[in-house]
Amino acid sequence: MKNLKEFYKGKNILITGHTGFKGSWLSIWLESMGANVVGVALDPYTDYDNFVLSGISSKLKADIRGDIRDRELLKSIFKNYNPEIVFHLAAQPLVRLSYENPIETYEVNVMGTINILEAIKYTESVKVGVMITTDKCYENKEQIWGYREDEAMGGYDPYSSSKGAAEIAIASWRRSFFNPKSFNVHGKTIASVRAGNVIGGGDWSKDRIIPDCIRAIELEKPIEVRSPRAIRPWQHVLEPLGGYLLLGMKMWENPVQFCEGWNFGPSIDSITNVWEVANKVVETYGKGHLIDVSNPRDLHEAKLLLLDISKAKFLLGWEPKLNLDQSISYTIEWYKKYKKTSVYELCCEQISKYMG
């Protein structure tokens, strides 16, 4: 991890979706290492988001509001700021919202991704593109073993299937325009990355168990758990981000070797059901109580989804540092302190602690 700071210092980095939960943490981490960060995204979800409360906007080289469906805007941003490494996180990230807005979900997640790939293709300065998708990109058969990177893409709901389609597009652009066999011609390396259910401070998104818990606790209301028996791979936000940063460095150093798909999931002991996670939140916070509001007529969501992280462990030297209890401890620390301390310093402290 210490090598990351040396590598990213002074690098020109473009992050799409930097106002989002994962994007804000990635922006803070890169800025703290001395990178020149440019972000393009829509407005933050709420005034309590990590991006807003951390004040990271003022520390970036540029904080740009824009839609990744706008090809001309992207073209001008890439031209004006000459990024060397691109982290593409911008997305419509919610399963339930994808049922309400399936067309927009596909426009953002598939065409938005293609727009970024095209901008990379025509921008000479870009050497590395790390395209963030999701564990839900796999054709989920709810099997009891983790999905490997070479398994079929798919998805039941519009969100999951849009991410599967984005993965197929990324693979197509890699073969067609960024083929590692012709690296000496195009000079670019592209990878896609998939993480599990990410938790951490500053997430206020709808239909996510940690934000639901915190909102209910702060309002002194019962915590309504919609899918208590759904099993997920839980991980703190710094875990996959550390993987993305490590991969970006490895791709720069060995561009032909690492331009593939990668899983960055948790260890086996952090794979459990939603009810157990919510119960640990209550125990760690010291207040709150749960009620089961599951409804068999609810919209379909996968009940079991696991990732195999063997490839990242053996080929990248990456593996999770935090177990589930530690991940929840980091998360609850943020939510208990965000109203009475510097959120930027709190984030930097947690990053420093994580880097160890």
Side-chain angles (χ1 to χ4, degrees):
M1 284 291 182
K2 291 181 179 179
N3 291 335
L4 292 180
K5 185 172 183 179
E6 296 173 10
F7 172 75
Y8 282 102
K9 184 177 182 180
K11 289 286 193 306
N12 294 330
I13 310 294
L14 175 67
I15 302 175
T16 72
H18 70 297
T19 61
F21 169 49
K22 289 171 73 175
S24 67
W25 277 95
L26 182 58
S27 299
I28 293 169
W29 197 338
L30 281 164
E31 183 276 333
S32 71
M33 293 190 293
N36 304 313
V37 180
V38 172
V40 55
L42 301 178
D43 288 329
Y45 181 63
T46 75
D47 290 339
Y48 293 98
D49 281 17
N50 190 50
F51 177 83
V52 177
L53 296 184
S54 68
I56 185 60
S57 173
S58 64
K59 300 177 185 295
L60 303 181
K61 183 175 181 181
D63 172 20
I64 303 166
R65 293 293 171 271
D67 194 316
I68 58 171
R69 291 173 290 181
D70 187 338
R71 288 191 295 274
E72 292 304 314
L73 173 64
L74 291 176
K75 188 185 299 183
S76 67
I77 292 170
F78 275 71
K79 181 179 178 180
N80 291 337
Y81 293 99
N82 296 306
E84 297 169 284
I85 300 175
V86 175
F87 290 96
H88 171 49
L89 288 86
Q92 192 296 93
L94 302 175
V95 171
R96 288 170 68 87
L97 184 58
S98 76
Y99 281 105
E100 298 173 16
N101 298 307
I103 295 174
E104 181 178 334
T105 297
Y106 260 74
E107 288 175 343
V108 173
N109 293 350
V110 182
M111 288 309 303
T113 296
I114 289 172
N115 289 342
I116 298 298
L117 290 167
E118 284 289 282
I120 290 173
K121 183 171 71 175
Y122 291 111
T123 306
E124 185 177 354
S125 61
V126 180
K127 305 303 180 187
V128 172
V130 180
M131 317 298 285
I132 288 80
T133 63
T134 175
D135 57 349
K136 295 178 178 65
C137 67
Y138 291 106
E139 181 63 50
N140 189 8
K141 302 172 184 177
E142 306 211 4
Q143 61 194 29
I144 60 172
W145 51 87
Y147 290 95
R148 294 178 177 176
E149 287 86 346
D150 59 356
E151 295 197 58
M153 298 293 109
Y156 181 107
D157 56 86
Y159 168 72
S160 301
S161 61
S162 74
K163 285 298 193 174
E167 283 279 1
I168 292 170
I170 294 165
S172 173
W173 258 251
R174 183 190 298 117
R175 296 188 192 102
S176 302
F177 309 111
F178 311 118
N179 197 302
K181 294 179 180 178
S182 56
F183 173 77
N184 290 336
V185 177
H186 56 74
K188 302 178 189 301
T189 178
I190 305 296
S192 60
V193 294
R194 305 130 193 184
N197 272 43
V198 177
I199 64 175
D203 183 12
W204 299 100
S205 299
K206 291 181 179 180
D207 300 326
R208 286 183 179 162
I209 189 59
I210 301 295
D212 286 349
C213 286
I214 300 301
R215 279 189 288 262
I217 289 171
E218 290 189 346
L219 294 171
E220 298 185 345
K221 293 183 176 181
I223 299 167
E224 298 182 349
V225 184
R226 291 185 296 104
S227 302
R229 287 169 292 281
I231 296 172
R232 295 287 187 268
W234 307 93
Q235 58 191 148
H236 191 268
V237 63
L238 295 180
E239 298 272 44
L241 293 185
Y244 305 165
L245 290 169
L246 176 62
L247 177 61
M249 181 177 71
K250 294 280 190 180
M251 291 168 69
W252 184 281
E253 295 169 347
N254 297 284
V256 174
Q257 184 176 351
F258 297 105
C259 53
E260 302 172 338
W262 299 86
N263 290 339
F264 294 103
S267 55
I268 192 71
D269 61 353
S270 293
I271 299 171
T272 189
N273 64 56
V274 173
W275 186 269
E276 177 67 16
V277 168
N279 194 54
K280 285 180 177 291
V281 169
V282 169
E283 291 177 357
T284 305
Y285 201 104
K287 61 191 299 187
H289 69 281
L290 312 179
I291 58 172
D292 183 343
V293 295
S294 55
N295 185 338
R297 294 187 296 275
D298 274 348
L299 297 170
H300 176 274
E301 287 193 54
K303 296 295 185 285
L304 178 63
L305 181 56
L306 313 176
L307 291 174
D308 185 320
I309 59 173
S310 302
K311 181 178 173 182
K313 181 175 181 179
F314 292 111
L315 298 185
L316 289 177
W318 176 91
E319 60 183 329
K321 290 186 171 189
L322 307 177
N323 60 32
L324 181 58
D325 287 341
Q326 291 170 318
S327 296
I328 290 175
S329 177
Y330 270 62
T331 301
I332 299 307
E333 179 188 36
W334 191 100
Y335 285 109
K336 293 186 83 169
K337 290 183 175 180
Y338 79 94
K339 291 183 178 179
K340 53 188 178 184
T341 191
S342 164
V343 169
Y344 176 80
E345 291 180 8
L346 175 58
C347 292
C348 288
E349 287 171 5
Q350 290 196 339
I351 290 168
S352 178
K353 180 181 177 182
Y354 177 79
M355 293 181 74

